[in-house]
Amino acid sequence: MNLNEKPTPILDKILTAGEMRISAASSLAELQEIKASIVGKHGTLTEVLKEIPKMEPALRAEIGRAANQLKAHFIEILDARAEEIQLKASEISPDFDLTVPGFAPPMGGLHPITQMCYDLNDAFRSMGFEIFTEADISSELYAFDNLNFPPEHPARESMDTFWLEGHDKGDGGKRLCLRPHLTGASVRFMQTHKPPFRFVYPGRVYRNEATDARHERAFFQYEALIVDREFKFSAGMVMIKSILSKVFGRDIPVRMRVGFFPFVEPGFEIDMMCLVCDGKGCSVCKHVGWLEIMPGGSPHPNVLRAAGLEPSEYAGFYVNIGLDRLVMMRYGVDDVRLFHSADLRFLNQFA
């Protein structure tokens, strides 16, 4: 079709109005609306094509040919205008100076405690452990009752545990607190899974205590538990040494001292050589060359019973790693409060 010819006044009007609107369009969205209004399902040109069967036979061929050619013309100029709009949108501003040197945006990094947690996850996964997490809010049932804490134990008092206002009355599952340790999660896991168990559970815990270079009110723990029908206690020590060697990249001297904890029997204090002073003595290790990093031992029979297991059939090994202290050893940091200070001058060293 020669667009300079005018087969009908209607097509001529559609052509003139359509070209003006397409030329004035400034966005792809506006262009899409114009396309729909002309050649869409209910567009003006489409309506003309629908009327052709009703026209006189002598005009049908001419009008039909002219309308279809006009439709092809509109599609062509619509695509061309869309390309123009896209090119204009990608143009660089005339005020932009390409000769000015660029600068790298500031980059963040993982918090050293988070990185240590990930490293431990990788180490334990390589030994077939599952990763388990739970909510920060626990109850007296899981924080103390299931773990063999006697009713008068001082850890149940508000001087040690943060009880939630409005939920601090009653006992058992009705009395809620911020979890003072992760150990209650071991019973929860065993109650909802089938033995044997081999799992770890990292997380933040809360204690109502004074802060100093070695203690915080909110800090991180990383617990591990193995429960099976046949488990040698000596294998627990092998596990500890293997984990520390993977985390620090070398063998770390470790010792076990007899200790009492309600949830293990027998129980031990597990120490590693202080890496801040290489065992020579410093303020972090109280000048003894060793740092307590975890309690450990075999799950107490009452804990296994709370989990629904028969103590005569199952045994295992449990450790509770002080994650903050382990990070202090990795980087030679002498004050745990630095990790929780949000001081970017300190944290940027680990980015």
Side-chain angles (χ1 to χ4, degrees), residues 31-32 45 55 100 222 259 284 315 328:
L31 208 60
Q32 189 62 34
L45 187 58
M55 296 179 182
V100 175
Y222 194 102
V284 174
M328 291 173 71

Side-chain angles (χ1 to χ4, degrees), residues 51-344:
E51 294 294 322
I52 289 178
K54 302 176 183 178
M55 296 179 182
E56 297 180 7
L59 297 175
R60 291 176 188 172
E62 180 183 359
I63 298 299
R65 183 170 55 253
N68 280 310
Q69 290 183 356
L70 184 58
K71 181 177 181 180
H73 171 68
F74 275 127
I75 292 174
E76 181 181 347
I77 63 175
L78 281 164
D79 291 342
R81 182 57 182 159
E83 186 176 351
E84 289 177 6
I85 292 173
Q86 289 176 323
L87 289 174
K88 186 174 182 180
S90 63
E91 286 181 355
I92 297 176
S93 169
D95 298 330
F96 186 80
D97 188 353
L98 291 174
T99 65
V100 175
F103 59 90
M107 300 295 290
L110 292 175
H111 191 282
I113 293 177
T114 302
Q115 184 61 62
M116 175 65 80
C117 183
Y118 288 172
D119 292 345
L120 285 172
N121 285 348
D122 292 341
F124 275 104
R125 281 196 185 100
S126 70
M127 296 190 293
F129 282 71
E130 295 182 59
I131 310 296
F132 175 66
T133 58
E134 65 164 7
D136 287 10
I137 296 177
S138 185
S139 67
E140 188 173 35
L141 176 64
Y142 282 96
F144 300 106
D145 296 344
N146 287 341
L147 299 181
N148 196 45
F149 280 78
E152 70 282 359
H153 196 283
R156 295 177 183 258
E157 303 299 326
S158 58
M159 66 179 67
D160 282 336
T161 300
F162 290 108
W163 297 101
L164 301 188
E165 185 176 1
H167 300 276
D168 54 348
K169 306 300 180 184
D171 54 23
K174 297 180 180 179
R175 194 180 182 200
L176 304 182
C177 63
L178 292 178
R179 59 187 180 192
H181 46 232
L182 296 178
T183 315
S186 62
V187 175
R188 194 186 304 274
F189 183 95
M190 290 188 286
Q191 288 175 338
T192 55
H193 294 73
K194 293 183 179 180
F197 306 114
R198 186 181 290 248
F199 61 99
V200 296
Y201 37 108
R204 190 194 294 266
V205 299
Y206 309 86
R207 302 271 180 84
N208 187 11
E209 60 182 44
T211 61
D212 56 32
R214 299 171 69 240
H215 299 87
E216 265 284 3
R217 288 189 177 92
F219 54 97
F220 289 88
Q221 291 182 342
Y222 194 102
E223 298 202 2
L225 178 64
I226 300 175
V227 174
D228 208 336
R229 291 186 181 274
E230 295 183 6
F231 184 82
K232 294 182 178 180
F233 189 84
S234 59
M237 191 62 171
V238 174
M239 178 188 72
I240 293 168
K241 292 184 69 69
S242 299
I243 290 299
L244 292 178
S245 66
K246 286 189 177 184
V247 169
F248 293 102
R250 62 186 178 95
D251 289 337
I252 304 296
V254 177
R255 71 179 186 182
M256 298 178 70
R257 297 177 289 112
V258 175
F260 172 77
F261 304 97
F263 40 86
V264 288
E265 180 60 42
F268 296 91
E269 298 274 11
I270 302 170
D271 305 333
M272 65 175 284
M273 185 185 75
C274 181
L275 301 185
V276 175
C277 62
D278 289 327
K280 298 174 183 176
C282 65
S283 60
V284 174
C285 62
K286 295 185 177 180
H287 304 284
V288 297
W290 294 90
L291 188 72
E292 176 193 340
I293 56 169
M294 62 184 89
S298 295
H300 194 283
N302 289 341
V303 174
L304 294 176
R305 291 190 186 96
L309 301 178
E310 177 52 52
S312 62
E313 297 179 10
Y314 288 93
F317 192 83
Y318 152 89
V319 291
N320 178 330
I321 301 170
L323 202 56
D324 300 45
R325 292 187 183 181
L326 214 57
V327 178
M328 291 173 71
M329 294 297 97
R330 170 181 273 186
Y331 297 108
V333 177
D334 60 3
D335 194 329
V336 69
R337 292 169 293 190
L338 291 169
F339 292 120
H340 305 275
S341 66
D343 188 338
L344 294 180

